[in-house]
PDB file of all heavy atoms in Angstrom:
ATOM      1  N   ARG A   1      64.067 -28.774 -63.777  1.00 96.00           N
ATOM      2  CA  ARG A   1      63.477 -29.692 -62.795  1.00 96.00           C
ATOM      3  C   ARG A   1      62.809 -28.901 -61.700  1.00 96.00           C
ATOM      4  O   ARG A   1      63.440 -27.991 -61.126  1.00 96.00           O
ATOM      5  CB  ARG A   1      64.561 -30.616 -62.183  1.00 96.00           C
ATOM      6  CG  ARG A   1      63.945 -31.654 -61.245  1.00 96.00           C
ATOM      7  CD  ARG A   1      64.647 -32.932 -61.378  1.00 96.00           C
ATOM      8  NE  ARG A   1      64.011 -33.979 -60.577  1.00 96.00           N
ATOM      9  CZ  ARG A   1      63.222 -34.912 -61.077  1.00 96.00           C
ATOM     10  NH1 ARG A   1      62.979 -34.918 -62.370  1.00 96.00           N
ATOM     11  NH2 ARG A   1      62.693 -35.831 -60.323  1.00 96.00           N
ATOM     12  N   VAL A   2      61.506 -29.187 -61.409  1.00 96.00           N
ATOM     13  CA  VAL A   2      60.774 -28.544 -60.363  1.00 96.00           C
ATOM     14  C   VAL A   2      60.759 -29.476 -59.171  1.00 96.00           C
ATOM     15  O   VAL A   2      60.444 -30.687 -59.330  1.00 96.00           O
ATOM     16  CB  VAL A   2      59.350 -28.244 -60.852  1.00 96.00           C
ATOM     17  CG1 VAL A   2      58.553 -27.587 -59.706  1.00 96.00           C
ATOM     18  CG2 VAL A   2      59.413 -27.234 -62.015  1.00 96.00           C
ATOM     19  N   VAL A   3      61.129 -28.962 -57.990  1.00 95.00           N
ATOM     20  CA  VAL A   3      61.112 -29.752 -56.793  1.00 95.00           C
ATOM     21  C   VAL A   3      60.246 -29.038 -55.730  1.00 95.00           C
ATOM     22  O   VAL A   3      60.506 -27.851 -55.439  1.00 95.00           O
ATOM     23  CB  VAL A   3      62.609 -29.951 -56.265  1.00 95.00           C
ATOM     24  CG1 VAL A   3      62.564 -30.781 -55.010  1.00 95.00           C
ATOM     25  CG2 VAL A   3      63.437 -30.569 -57.368  1.00 95.00           C
ATOM     26  N   ILE A   4      59.299 -29.714 -55.143  1.00 96.00           N
ATOM     27  CA  ILE A   4      58.515 -29.290 -54.129  1.00 96.00           C
ATOM     28  C   ILE A   4      58.771 -30.141 -52.878  1.00 96.00           C
ATOM     29  O   ILE A   4      58.605 -31.325 -52.943  1.00 96.00           O
ATOM     30  CB  ILE A   4      56.997 -29.345 -54.455  1.00 96.00           C
ATOM     31  CG1 ILE A   4      56.658 -28.778 -55.855  1.00 96.00           C
ATOM     32  CG2 ILE A   4      56.193 -28.643 -53.376  1.00 96.00           C
ATOM     33  CD1 ILE A   4      56.997 -27.355 -56.048  1.00 96.00           C
ATOM     34  N   ASP A   5      59.258 -29.506 -51.828  1.00 94.00           N
ATOM     35  CA  ASP A   5      59.686 -30.230 -50.617  1.00 94.00           C
ATOM     36  C   ASP A   5      58.967 -29.671 -49.406  1.00 94.00           C
ATOM     37  O   ASP A   5      58.499 -28.539 -49.412  1.00 94.00           O
ATOM     38  CB  ASP A   5      61.201 -29.954 -50.507  1.00 94.00           C
ATOM     39  CG  ASP A   5      61.973 -31.184 -50.179  1.00 94.00           C
ATOM     40  OD1 ASP A   5      61.377 -32.231 -49.852  1.00 94.00           O
ATOM     41  OD2 ASP A   5      63.228 -31.109 -50.231  1.00 94.00           O
ATOM     42  N   ARG A   6      59.005 -30.469 -48.339  1.00 94.00           N
ATOM     43  CA  ARG A   6      58.395 -29.988 -47.059  1.00 94.00           C
ATOM     44  C   ARG A   6      59.440 -30.131 -45.958  1.00 94.00           C
ATOM     45  O   ARG A   6      59.483 -31.115 -45.247  1.00 94.00           O
ATOM     46  CB  ARG A   6      57.181 -30.867 -46.802  1.00 94.00           C
ATOM     47  CG  ARG A   6      56.392 -30.401 -45.548  1.00 94.00           C
ATOM     48  CD  ARG A   6      55.164 -31.229 -45.324  1.00 94.00           C
ATOM     49  NE  ARG A   6      54.448 -30.735 -44.160  1.00 94.00           N
ATOM     50  CZ  ARG A   6      53.462 -31.370 -43.630  1.00 94.00           C
ATOM     51  NH1 ARG A   6      53.135 -32.559 -44.076  1.00 94.00           N
ATOM     52  NH2 ARG A   6      52.870 -30.911 -42.582  1.00 94.00           N
ATOM     53  N   PRO A   7      60.272 -29.127 -45.774  1.00 92.00           N
ATOM     54  CA  PRO A   7      61.299 -29.200 -44.773  1.00 92.00           C
ATOM     55  C   PRO A   7      60.822 -29.054 -43.390  1.00 92.00           C
ATOM     56  O   PRO A   7      61.583 -29.297 -42.398  1.00 92.00           O
ATOM     57  CB  PRO A   7      62.283 -28.098 -45.174  1.00 92.00           C
ATOM     58  CG  PRO A   7      61.492 -27.148 -45.958  1.00 92.00           C
ATOM     59  CD  PRO A   7      60.430 -27.892 -46.607  1.00 92.00           C
ATOM     60  N   GLY A   8      59.626 -28.652 -43.193  1.00 92.00           N
ATOM     61  CA  GLY A   8      59.045 -28.473 -41.788  1.00 92.00           C
ATOM     62  C   GLY A   8      57.563 -28.670 -41.878  1.00 92.00           C
ATOM     63  O   GLY A   8      56.929 -28.718 -42.929  1.00 92.00           O
ATOM     64  N   ALA A   9      56.920 -28.785 -40.730  1.00 92.00           N
ATOM     65  CA  ALA A   9      55.475 -29.139 -40.628  1.00 92.00           C
ATOM     66  C   ALA A   9      54.615 -28.074 -41.372  1.00 92.00           C
ATOM     67  O   ALA A   9      53.631 -28.455 -42.043  1.00 92.00           O
ATOM     68  CB  ALA A   9      55.048 -29.142 -39.170  1.00 92.00           C
ATOM     69  N   ALA A  10      54.979 -26.815 -41.378  1.00 95.00           N
ATOM     70  CA  ALA A  10      54.238 -25.769 -42.040  1.00 95.00           C
ATOM     71  C   ALA A  10      55.082 -25.037 -43.031  1.00 95.00           C
ATOM     72  O   ALA A  10      54.817 -23.845 -43.382  1.00 95.00           O
ATOM     73  CB  ALA A  10      53.613 -24.796 -40.956  1.00 95.00           C
ATOM     74  N   ARG A  11      56.089 -25.659 -43.517  1.00 96.00           N
ATOM     75  CA  ARG A  11      57.024 -24.988 -44.494  1.00 96.00           C
ATOM     76  C   ARG A  11      57.118 -25.776 -45.773  1.00 96.00           C
ATOM     77  O   ARG A  11      57.272 -27.021 -45.734  1.00 96.00           O
ATOM     78  CB  ARG A  11      58.406 -24.845 -43.864  1.00 96.00           C
ATOM     79  CG  ARG A  11      59.366 -23.984 -44.688  1.00 96.00           C
ATOM     80  CD  ARG A  11      60.724 -23.924 -44.099  1.00 96.00           C
ATOM     81  NE  ARG A  11      61.128 -22.807 -43.249  1.00 96.00           N
ATOM     82  CZ  ARG A  11      61.090 -21.496 -43.568  1.00 96.00           C
ATOM     83  NH1 ARG A  11      60.551 -21.098 -44.636  1.00 96.00           N
ATOM     84  NH2 ARG A  11      61.575 -20.593 -42.705  1.00 96.00           N
ATOM     85  N   VAL A  12      56.960 -25.127 -46.909  1.00 96.00           N
ATOM     86  CA  VAL A  12      57.067 -25.731 -48.205  1.00 96.00           C
ATOM     87  C   VAL A  12      58.191 -25.013 -48.972  1.00 96.00           C
ATOM     88  O   VAL A  12      58.249 -23.773 -48.976  1.00 96.00           O
ATOM     89  CB  VAL A  12      55.741 -25.645 -49.033  1.00 96.00           C
ATOM     90  CG1 VAL A  12      55.937 -26.128 -50.434  1.00 96.00           C
ATOM     91  CG2 VAL A  12      54.697 -26.448 -48.332  1.00 96.00           C
ATOM     92  N   ARG A  13      59.098 -25.822 -49.539  1.00 97.00           N
ATOM     93  CA  ARG A  13      60.141 -25.234 -50.380  1.00 97.00           C
ATOM     94  C   ARG A  13      59.896 -25.538 -51.869  1.00 97.00           C
ATOM     95  O   ARG A  13      59.652 -26.729 -52.207  1.00 97.00           O
ATOM     96  CB  ARG A  13      61.504 -25.756 -49.949  1.00 97.00           C
ATOM     97  CG  ARG A  13      62.627 -25.230 -50.907  1.00 97.00           C
ATOM     98  CD  ARG A  13      63.987 -25.453 -50.420  1.00 97.00           C
ATOM     99  NE  ARG A  13      64.248 -24.450 -49.354  1.00 97.00           N
ATOM    100  CZ  ARG A  13      65.438 -24.274 -48.779  1.00 97.00           C
ATOM    101  NH1 ARG A  13      66.441 -24.969 -49.155  1.00 97.00           N
ATOM    102  NH2 ARG A  13      65.555 -23.362 -47.867  1.00 97.00           N
ATOM    103  N   VAL A  14      59.879 -24.520 -52.662  1.00 97.00           N
ATOM    104  CA  VAL A  14      59.684 -24.632 -54.133  1.00 97.00           C
ATOM    105  C   VAL A  14      60.991 -24.369 -54.715  1.00 97.00           C
ATOM    106  O   VAL A  14      61.576 -23.318 -54.473  1.00 97.00           O
ATOM    107  CB  VAL A  14      58.696 -23.579 -54.555  1.00 97.00           C
ATOM    108  CG1 VAL A  14      58.447 -23.638 -56.044  1.00 97.00           C
ATOM    109  CG2 VAL A  14      57.327 -23.676 -53.813  1.00 97.00           C
ATOM    110  N   GLY A  15      61.491 -25.310 -55.586  1.00 97.00           N
ATOM    111  CA  GLY A  15      62.775 -25.046 -56.227  1.00 97.00           C
ATOM    112  C   GLY A  15      62.691 -25.356 -57.686  1.00 97.00           C
ATOM    113  O   GLY A  15      61.936 -26.224 -58.114  1.00 97.00           O
ATOM    114  N   VAL A  16      63.485 -24.638 -58.490  1.00 97.00           N
ATOM    115  CA  VAL A  16      63.625 -24.947 -59.912  1.00 97.00           C
ATOM    116  C   VAL A  16      65.074 -25.003 -60.257  1.00 97.00           C
ATOM    117  O   VAL A  16      65.880 -24.101 -59.990  1.00 97.00           O
ATOM    118  CB  VAL A  16      62.914 -23.825 -60.774  1.00 97.00           C
ATOM    119  CG1 VAL A  16      63.207 -24.074 -62.257  1.00 97.00           C
ATOM    120  CG2 VAL A  16      61.463 -23.775 -60.528  1.00 97.00           C
ATOM    121  N   ALA A  17      65.483 -26.215 -60.688  1.00 96.00           N
ATOM    122  CA  ALA A  17      66.858 -26.433 -61.038  1.00 96.00           C
ATOM    123  C   ALA A  17      67.014 -26.396 -62.553  1.00 96.00           C
ATOM    124  O   ALA A  17      66.170 -26.838 -63.358  1.00 96.00           O
ATOM    125  CB  ALA A  17      67.264 -27.883 -60.575  1.00 96.00           C
ATOM    126  N   ASP A  18      68.132 -25.822 -62.929  1.00 94.00           N
ATOM    127  CA  ASP A  18      68.527 -25.790 -64.361  1.00 94.00           C
ATOM    128  C   ASP A  18      70.061 -25.950 -64.458  1.00 94.00           C
ATOM    129  O   ASP A  18      70.767 -25.820 -63.474  1.00 94.00           O
ATOM    130  CB  ASP A  18      68.036 -24.596 -65.048  1.00 94.00           C
ATOM    131  CG  ASP A  18      68.660 -23.321 -64.615  1.00 94.00           C
ATOM    132  OD1 ASP A  18      69.880 -23.092 -64.801  1.00 94.00           O
ATOM    133  OD2 ASP A  18      67.899 -22.468 -64.041  1.00 94.00           O
ATOM    134  N   LEU A  19      70.533 -26.140 -65.673  1.00 92.00           N
ATOM    135  CA  LEU A  19      71.950 -26.425 -65.922  1.00 92.00           C
ATOM    136  C   LEU A  19      72.752 -25.173 -66.192  1.00 92.00           C
ATOM    137  O   LEU A  19      73.934 -25.275 -66.544  1.00 92.00           O
ATOM    138  CB  LEU A  19      72.116 -27.439 -67.084  1.00 92.00           C
ATOM    139  CG  LEU A  19      71.596 -28.793 -66.726  1.00 92.00           C
ATOM    140  CD1 LEU A  19      71.686 -29.716 -67.945  1.00 92.00           C
ATOM    141  CD2 LEU A  19      72.327 -29.437 -65.574  1.00 92.00           C
ATOM    142  N   SER A  20      72.151 -24.045 -66.026  1.00 90.00           N
ATOM    143  CA  SER A  20      72.928 -22.804 -66.219  1.00 90.00           C
ATOM    144  C   SER A  20      73.520 -22.336 -64.915  1.00 90.00           C
ATOM    145  O   SER A  20      72.842 -22.394 -63.840  1.00 90.00           O
ATOM    146  CB  SER A  20      71.967 -21.682 -66.721  1.00 90.00           C
ATOM    147  OG  SER A  20      72.640 -20.427 -66.721  1.00 90.00           O
ATOM    148  N   ARG A  21      74.730 -21.844 -64.925  1.00 87.00           N
ATOM    149  CA  ARG A  21      75.358 -21.352 -63.742  1.00 87.00           C
ATOM    150  C   ARG A  21      75.127 -19.834 -63.551  1.00 87.00           C
ATOM    151  O   ARG A  21      75.523 -19.220 -62.592  1.00 87.00           O
ATOM    152  CB  ARG A  21      76.839 -21.669 -63.712  1.00 87.00           C
ATOM    153  CG  ARG A  21      77.053 -23.177 -63.634  1.00 87.00           C
ATOM    154  CD  ARG A  21      78.478 -23.500 -63.339  1.00 87.00           C
ATOM    155  NE  ARG A  21      78.901 -22.792 -62.173  1.00 87.00           N
ATOM    156  CZ  ARG A  21      79.312 -23.333 -61.037  1.00 87.00           C
ATOM    157  NH1 ARG A  21      79.230 -24.654 -60.941  1.00 87.00           N
ATOM    158  NH2 ARG A  21      79.689 -22.644 -60.009  1.00 87.00           N
ATOM    159  N   LEU A  22      74.433 -19.232 -64.544  1.00 85.00           N
ATOM    160  CA  LEU A  22      74.145 -17.802 -64.507  1.00 85.00           C
ATOM    161  C   LEU A  22      73.109 -17.545 -63.416  1.00 85.00           C
ATOM    162  O   LEU A  22      72.026 -18.140 -63.370  1.00 85.00           O
ATOM    163  CB  LEU A  22      73.562 -17.387 -65.866  1.00 85.00           C
ATOM    164  CG  LEU A  22      73.265 -15.915 -66.028  1.00 85.00           C
ATOM    165  CD1 LEU A  22      74.528 -15.037 -65.953  1.00 85.00           C
ATOM    166  CD2 LEU A  22      72.515 -15.667 -67.359  1.00 85.00           C
ATOM    167  N   ARG A  23      73.458 -16.658 -62.470  1.00 82.00           N
ATOM    168  CA  ARG A  23      72.590 -16.409 -61.335  1.00 82.00           C
ATOM    169  C   ARG A  23      71.515 -15.355 -61.684  1.00 82.00           C
ATOM    170  O   ARG A  23      71.848 -14.380 -62.361  1.00 82.00           O
ATOM    171  CB  ARG A  23      73.403 -15.870 -60.191  1.00 82.00           C
ATOM    172  CG  ARG A  23      74.402 -16.845 -59.598  1.00 82.00           C
ATOM    173  CD  ARG A  23      75.320 -16.206 -58.569  1.00 82.00           C
ATOM    174  NE  ARG A  23      74.598 -15.722 -57.398  1.00 82.00           N
ATOM    175  CZ  ARG A  23      74.307 -16.411 -56.341  1.00 82.00           C
ATOM    176  NH1 ARG A  23      74.683 -17.637 -56.219  1.00 82.00           N
ATOM    177  NH2 ARG A  23      73.647 -15.806 -55.316  1.00 82.00           N
ATOM    178  N   PRO A  24      70.274 -15.592 -61.275  1.00 76.00           N
ATOM    179  CA  PRO A  24      69.275 -14.501 -61.514  1.00 76.00           C
ATOM    180  C   PRO A  24      69.523 -13.313 -60.695  1.00 76.00           C
ATOM    181  O   PRO A  24      70.115 -13.377 -59.633  1.00 76.00           O
ATOM    182  CB  PRO A  24      67.954 -15.244 -61.078  1.00 76.00           C
ATOM    183  CG  PRO A  24      68.396 -16.295 -60.168  1.00 76.00           C
ATOM    184  CD  PRO A  24      69.754 -16.743 -60.528  1.00 76.00           C
ATOM    185  N   VAL A  25      69.141 -12.206 -61.217  1.00 69.00           N
ATOM    186  CA  VAL A  25      69.349 -10.891 -60.562  1.00 69.00           C
ATOM    187  C   VAL A  25      68.034 -10.231 -60.327  1.00 69.00           C
ATOM    188  O   VAL A  25      67.257 -10.059 -61.265  1.00 69.00           O
ATOM    189  CB  VAL A  25      70.289 -10.051 -61.465  1.00 69.00           C
ATOM    190  CG1 VAL A  25      70.483  -8.709 -60.794  1.00 69.00           C
ATOM    191  CG2 VAL A  25      71.594 -10.711 -61.674  1.00 69.00           C
ATOM    192  N   GLN A  26      67.820  -9.827 -59.069  1.00 63.00           N
ATOM    193  CA  GLN A  26      66.610  -8.981 -58.776  1.00 63.00           C
ATOM    194  C   GLN A  26      66.911  -7.601 -59.251  1.00 63.00           C
ATOM    195  O   GLN A  26      67.891  -7.032 -58.838  1.00 63.00           O
ATOM    196  CB  GLN A  26      66.403  -9.113 -57.260  1.00 63.00           C
ATOM    197  CG  GLN A  26      65.083  -8.529 -56.841  1.00 63.00           C
ATOM    198  CD  GLN A  26      64.807  -8.757 -55.333  1.00 63.00           C
ATOM    199  OE1 GLN A  26      65.339  -9.726 -54.758  1.00 63.00           O
ATOM    200  NE2 GLN A  26      64.028  -7.925 -54.752  1.00 63.00           N
ATOM    201  N   ARG A  27      66.058  -7.064 -60.046  1.00 61.00           N
ATOM    202  CA  ARG A  27      66.331  -5.734 -60.590  1.00 61.00           C
ATOM    203  C   ARG A  27      65.100  -4.823 -60.477  1.00 61.00           C
ATOM    204  O   ARG A  27      64.016  -5.303 -60.216  1.00 61.00           O
ATOM    205  CB  ARG A  27      66.767  -5.821 -62.043  1.00 61.00           C
ATOM    206  CG  ARG A  27      65.796  -6.314 -63.010  1.00 61.00           C
ATOM    207  CD  ARG A  27      66.352  -6.415 -64.440  1.00 61.00           C
ATOM    208  NE  ARG A  27      65.365  -6.874 -65.411  1.00 61.00           N
ATOM    209  CZ  ARG A  27      64.656  -6.059 -66.123  1.00 61.00           C
ATOM    210  NH1 ARG A  27      64.800  -4.752 -66.008  1.00 61.00           N
ATOM    211  NH2 ARG A  27      63.764  -6.517 -66.967  1.00 61.00           N
ATOM    212  N   GLU A  28      65.324  -3.581 -60.655  1.00 65.00           N
ATOM    213  CA  GLU A  28      64.260  -2.569 -60.619  1.00 65.00           C
ATOM    214  C   GLU A  28      63.672  -2.535 -62.060  1.00 65.00           C
ATOM    215  O   GLU A  28      64.372  -2.411 -63.051  1.00 65.00           O
ATOM    216  CB  GLU A  28      64.823  -1.226 -60.273  1.00 65.00           C
ATOM    217  CG  GLU A  28      65.322  -1.062 -58.857  1.00 65.00           C
ATOM    218  CD  GLU A  28      64.192  -1.089 -57.876  1.00 65.00           C
ATOM    219  OE1 GLU A  28      63.031  -0.657 -58.190  1.00 65.00           O
ATOM    220  OE2 GLU A  28      64.418  -1.551 -56.776  1.00 65.00           O
TER     221      GLU A  28
END
C-alpha cells in the first residue's frame, strides 16, 4: 500500500506499507 500524505503546509509524507515485519537496513 502506497500512502501519500500532507502533514504540513509544505510537507509531504510518502509511505509504503507491507505485511512483512522485516525491517529494511541501510547498508554500504
Side-chain angles (χ1 to χ4, degrees):
R1 185 141 186 102
V2 176
V3 179
I4 313 297
D5 224 349
R6 187 179 181 191
R11 190 181 261 306
V12 172
R13 176 166 284 188
V14 178
V16 176
D18 66 65
L19 294 175
S20 171
R21 295 191 53 115
L22 183 65
R23 295 173 61 90
V25 176
Q26 189 173 335
R27 64 182 183 94
E28 291 291 330

